[in-house]
Amino acid sequence: YPEPYFFNLGLSLELATGLPAIFKFNSSISWANSFINSVDNLKFYINRTGDLKQLKEVGIYFLDETLLNLGVGLTIPIYGAFFEGFDQKTSSIYYFYGGFLYQHAIKSKATLYYQIANAKDDLRYSNGTDTTVVFSEKNADGIDLNRFNLEMGIGFDTKFNNYGIYLQAFVIYQLNSFLLDANWYQYQFGLRMGLYLRGFIE
């Protein structure tokens, strides 16, 4: 079965306030694979020598999705330095970010596999291999295409006039299940990198 992956590409808009905080609006597209699995040890088989053996069969539920992401949050500076003068605006800050993230699966394909885990020399499915596909469907029934998440992060950014870079360690905590009739939650963490193009509205 395919390997899981996650790739995200997006844009953010920052709006300064009179307080030591910045409103941030995020939009992006994600390409993601994820899966859950279960193990069935309740089946038995008779091997070639006539012995009764326990069969270990693994069920793998795999999702391949393209997600539209919309988020809003607040960036709170923890420590930093600012300079404005000689027609220059420079800043360098460490910050905490907290916000809400909504995701909608604009494309979703679900595939269910069964795989023989411990009797590969004795048993095969009808297709002649140790793996069989039960179904593979786009927008399969029982999948919640709308996801709600809390997002937190700690980062560093530096800006010079209208340009800059940032680096952020983040955690995404999913609030609702992938499946409508069962609990399947996914919690993401990683490192986010980006470029700033700033505009000033007088």
Side-chain angles (χ1 to χ4, degrees):
Y1 52 89
E3 294 291 331
Y5 71 86
F6 179 85
F7 178 75
N8 184 75
L9 184 64
L11 295 172
S12 297
L13 171 66
E14 290 188 345
L15 296 176
T17 67
L19 303 173
I22 300 169
F23 283 113
K24 192 168 187 178
F25 300 91
N26 304 306
S27 62
S28 64
I29 296 288
S30 300
W31 295 266
N33 279 355
S34 58
F35 69 90
I36 56 174
N37 58 64
S38 62
V39 179
D40 183 1
N41 292 312
L42 301 178
K43 297 177 182 178
F44 293 85
Y45 72 99
I46 297 177
N47 66 7
R48 297 175 182 177
T49 61
D51 298 323
L52 185 65
K53 296 289 185 178
Q54 186 181 49
L55 172 64
K56 183 178 181 182
E57 189 177 40
V58 179
I60 302 154
Y61 195 94
F62 189 85
L63 272 179
D64 183 9
E65 297 186 307
T66 302
L67 300 164
L68 172 65
N69 309 301
L70 299 172
V72 60
L74 200 62
T75 297
I76 301 175
I78 301 172
Y79 175 80
F82 303 85
F83 173 79
E84 183 174 352
F86 306 105
D87 295 326
Q88 305 293 329
K89 293 183 178 180
T90 304
S91 66
S92 181
I93 65 169
Y94 294 89
Y95 64 87
F96 169 79
Y97 175 79
F100 176 80
L101 176 66
Y102 167 74
Q103 297 177 305
H104 178 74
I106 56 180
K107 188 179 79 170
S108 178
K109 183 178 180 181
T111 304
L112 178 61
Y113 302 84
Y114 279 118
Q115 189 173 80
I116 297 170
N118 70 333
K120 298 179 184 294
D121 294 332
D122 296 324
L123 296 177
R124 286 292 184 268
Y125 292 108
S126 60
N127 61 8
T129 70
D130 64 349
T131 303
T132 184
V133 177
V134 180
F135 70 82
S136 183
E137 299 178 4
K138 293 182 179 179
N139 298 326
D141 292 338
I143 296 178
D144 194 342
L145 300 180
N146 298 298
R147 321 281 163 74
F148 304 95
N149 310 269
L150 295 178
E151 185 175 5
M152 295 172 288
I154 296 177
F156 166 81
D157 73 40
T158 181
K159 302 183 182 74
F160 180 76
N161 285 345
N162 295 335
Y163 306 97
I165 60 173
Y166 75 89
L167 188 66
Q168 183 191 86
F170 69 91
V171 175
I172 298 175
Y173 183 89
Q174 187 171 329
L175 300 174
N176 65 316
S177 173
F178 277 96
L179 304 180
L180 296 172
D181 58 354
N183 291 325
W184 180 9
Y185 298 88
Q186 189 175 71
Y187 310 106
Q188 301 174 6
F189 61 92
L191 195 62
R192 185 177 288 132
M193 302 171 62
L195 298 174
Y196 277 111
L197 296 175
R198 298 184 66 191
F200 298 94
I201 301 175
E202 299 297 338

